[in-house]
Amino acid sequence: MTNRYAWMDEEWGRLEKIAQSRQINTVDSVLGERGAWIRVSGRSLLNLSSNNYLGLAHDPRLKAAATEAIEVWGAGATASRFVNGSCSLYTELEQRLADWKQREAALVFANGYQANTGVISALVGRGDAVFSDRLNHASIVDGIVLSRAEHYRYRHNDTEHLEFLLKQHRNARRKLIVTDTVFSMDGDTAPLAELVTLRDRYGALLMVDEAHAGGVLGERGEGLSHELGLHNEVDVIMGTFSKAFGAYGAYICADQSVIRYLTSKARSLIYSTALPPSVIASIHAALTIVQEDTSRRGRLRQMSSWFRKRLNTHPFEVGAGSSPIIPLIIGDNEKALQYSRMLEERGIAAVAIRPPTVPVGTARIRFTVMATHTLSELEWAADQLNQIRADLEGERG
Ligand SMILES: Cc1ncc(COP(=O)(O)O)c(C=O)c1O
C-alpha cells in the first residue's frame, strides 16, 4: 500500500531539519488575574510571550460581562450576521468604536485575520496594485494573494522605496498602501505621516493595521494614527480585540461609504458565523477600561521601557522601537530555540520566532511586556537571560 501522506512526512522532516517545524504547547492553567504566570507541565512560568499587554484577559469585569451575556444571548451567534441578524450588543459596539476612533462608522469582524483578508480582497482585485511593507503581518499578505491584485513589497519602513514602486506602477487601476502601525515581530512603528503624503501624491488608498497599537498608543488607547493626529487621514483603520483588549475579534473604522461597501463585499464577514455575544460583551467591558484607565497604559510604557533598557545594557541585539514588543535578535533558528528552551528551564515562557514569520537569518526571542508584570519579575527575567547568554558563550569559547 502506498502511503498517501509520505509527502507530508517528507516536508515536515525538511522543516524539522532547518528548525522550522512547529508544535503547540499545552498550558495547564493561568495563575491569577494578572495573567503574568502560567502553569505548563506542572511548572510555573513567567509569561513573557503574551499579547495581553494591558493584562485584561483575566480581568473580572471582562469575565462578568461575558457570563452575563451568555445568560441572556446563549453560547453562540448561530449564523452570519446577514442570516440571523445580530444582537444589539454588536450595533452598540460599532457605534462606540466609531465614536472612540472619531470616524463615521465601524464594522466588527470575527478576528484580525478575517478582517485583513476580507477587507483587502474587497478593496482591490485584478489589475490593481497593493504596496505592502515587507514586514507586514501574514494576514495582510494572505489578503493580497486572495485579492489577485499585484503585490509590491517595499523595504521595511522605506518610503523612498515605496515611492519608487508607486511611480513605477502609477497606471494600476486602483492602488492600496497597507502597513502595520506597530510591527508585530519587531515592535517598531510605521512612518504614517509620510505614507499619507504618498497616498495623496499617487492617488492611492491607505489602510493601517493597528492590532498591536490598539489599547497601547493614543491618549484613550486608540492607536498610532490617533497618537500622531492622523486618524482622519487614513482611509481604513483596522484593529483587533485579541491583544491589549484581552478578548477576541477585530474591527474596521472608516468613512460611511467605505463601511457600507465592505458590509456588502467582505466575504470573510458575509460567509462566516458572527462572534458569540459573550465575546462582544467582554469587548464592551475591555473598551471602557482601555478608554478610561490611562494609568494602566502608563504602567505598560514604564515597564516596557525599563525592560528594553535593561536588555540594552547587555550585548544583546534588541529591536528598535518603544512598544511592549521587544525582540531579541538571535539569527539562527536552532540557537533561538535553544534560548527559548533554556529560558523555560529557568521558569520563563518566551517564544522563539523563526522564518517564515520573520525573514531568514533573523530568528528571535519575542518578549512582550504586560502592564501587570512587576519590576522584580522583569529584573529576574533579565538576569536569567543574561546568565543563559553567558552559559552559551562559554560553550562556544
Ligand atoms: C499585525 C497583526 N494583524 C493581524 C493579526 C491577526 O489578528 P487575529 O489574531 O485577531 O486573527 C495579528 C495577530 O495575530 C497581527 O499581529
Side-chain angles (χ1 to χ4, degrees):
M1 271 252 296
T2 55
N3 177 359
R4 294 198 305 282
Y5 311 131
W7 63 271
M8 295 187 203
D9 294 342
E10 206 171 291
E11 173 61 3
W12 185 85
R14 187 188 70 80
L15 291 174
E16 178 73 353
K17 216 183 230 162
I18 58 171
Q20 276 184 214
S21 64
R22 296 173 192 247
Q23 65 176 50
I24 299 173
N25 294 329
T26 303
V27 175
D28 304 330
S29 59
V30 177
L31 306 170
E33 279 169 17
R34 287 197 296 130
W37 290 86
I38 51 176
R39 219 159 160 75
V40 176
S41 307
R43 296 180 54 230
S44 300
L45 303 179
L46 179 67
N47 192 356
L48 280 170
S49 263
S50 163
N51 295 324
N52 183 19
Y53 302 123
L54 295 175
L56 291 180
H58 308 93
D59 189 284
R61 291 164 287 185
L62 271 69
K63 292 196 270 188
T67 311
E68 199 178 308
I70 282 185
E71 290 300 334
V72 176
W73 294 98
T78 75
S80 154
R81 292 170 75 190
F82 299 89
V83 171
N84 233 12
S86 77
C87 73
S88 52
L89 289 172
Y90 258 99
T91 25
E92 284 158 21
L93 178 61
E94 286 167 344
Q95 188 54 57
R96 285 187 73 191
L97 291 170
D99 293 346
W100 176 51
K101 294 280 193 174
Q102 296 167 289
R103 295 301 300 254
E104 286 177 11
L107 188 59
V108 170
F109 282 74
N111 55 46
Y113 189 92
Q114 290 195 15
N116 279 338
T117 51
V119 169
I120 294 170
S121 60
L123 290 179
V124 286
R126 274 204 181 91
D128 298 335
V130 186
F131 303 86
S132 169
D133 189 290
R134 181 165 175 260
L135 297 188
N136 276 344
H137 189 258
S139 54
I140 293 177
V141 176
D142 291 358
I144 299 168
V145 171
L146 190 63
S147 75
R148 300 181 179 89
E150 294 300 326
H151 184 180
Y152 302 107
R153 297 166 88 210
Y154 58 91
R155 287 190 290 271
H156 179 50
N157 278 347
D158 184 341
T159 47
E160 269 180 34
H161 188 215
L162 169 60
E163 180 154 26
F164 169 80
L165 292 171
L166 280 162
K167 241 183 230 163
Q168 218 175 21
H169 304 286
R170 67 188 323 153
N171 292 332
R173 190 181 62 146
R174 287 188 208 122
K175 292 178 279 293
L176 173 68
I177 302 169
V178 58
T179 185
D180 287 10
T181 56
V182 170
F183 287 86
S184 58
M185 297 298 138
D186 293 77
D188 55 346
T189 50
L192 280 196
E194 284 115 297
L195 296 184
V196 168
T197 304
L198 290 177
R199 184 270 317 265
D200 291 341
R201 192 173 295 157
Y202 291 91
L205 291 175
L206 175 61
M207 171 175 177
V208 299
D209 176 337
E210 298 262 27
H212 294 275
V216 173
L217 297 177
E219 202 171 328
R220 301 181 79 220
E222 303 95 331
L224 182 71
S225 34
H226 257 80
E227 184 146 304
L228 300 178
L230 295 169
H231 49 282
N232 273 309
E233 298 295 333
V234 174
D235 298 293
V236 181
I237 301 176
M238 173 272 184
T240 63
F241 302 119
S242 47
K243 297 168 175 57
F245 279 70
Y248 191 67
Y251 61 89
I252 299 292
C253 287
D255 284 3
Q256 181 62 46
S257 304
V258 177
I259 296 295
R260 191 174 62 180
Y261 170 81
L262 290 174
T263 305
S264 289
K265 295 288 278 193
R267 291 168 67 86
S268 61
L269 177 76
I270 299 166
Y271 299 107
S272 186
T273 299
L275 282 172
S278 55
V279 173
I280 302 294
S282 55
I283 296 169
H284 270 288
L287 179 57
T288 304
I289 301 168
V290 162
Q291 290 175 321
E292 293 173 3
D293 191 351
T294 50
S295 67
R296 213 174 256 264
R297 208 158 14 257
R299 195 178 149 74
L300 175 64
R301 254 195 302 273
Q302 209 183 347
M303 293 291 120
S304 307
S305 105
W306 187 89
F307 194 60
R308 190 181 283 279
K309 269 197 206 123
R310 180 62 194 269
L311 295 191
N312 271 322
T313 60
H314 300 296
F316 286 125
E317 189 186 339
V318 179
S322 58
S323 76
I325 302 168
I326 306 176
L328 187 78
I329 312 296
I330 309 279
D332 177 64
N333 293 350
E334 188 50 58
K335 187 106 193 154
L337 284 173
Q338 194 177 14
Y339 262 91
S340 179
R341 276 194 300 268
M342 289 173 85
L343 282 163
E344 186 171 333
E345 280 161 18
R346 288 170 178 262
I348 296 159
V351 70
I353 306 284
R354 293 158 289 153
T357 307
V358 292
V360 171
T362 70
R364 63 198 65 190
I365 299 293
R366 176 183 183 262
F367 290 111
T368 43
V369 175
M370 293 189 245
T372 48
H373 280 133
T374 65
L375 212 52
S376 60
E377 285 166 345
L378 295 181
E379 196 159 18
W380 172 75
D383 287 344
Q384 298 306 309
L385 181 64
N386 203 33
Q387 282 170 30
I388 291 170
R389 188 188 58 80
D391 286 353
L392 289 178
E393 278 185 6
E395 263 172 39
R396 256 191 275 142

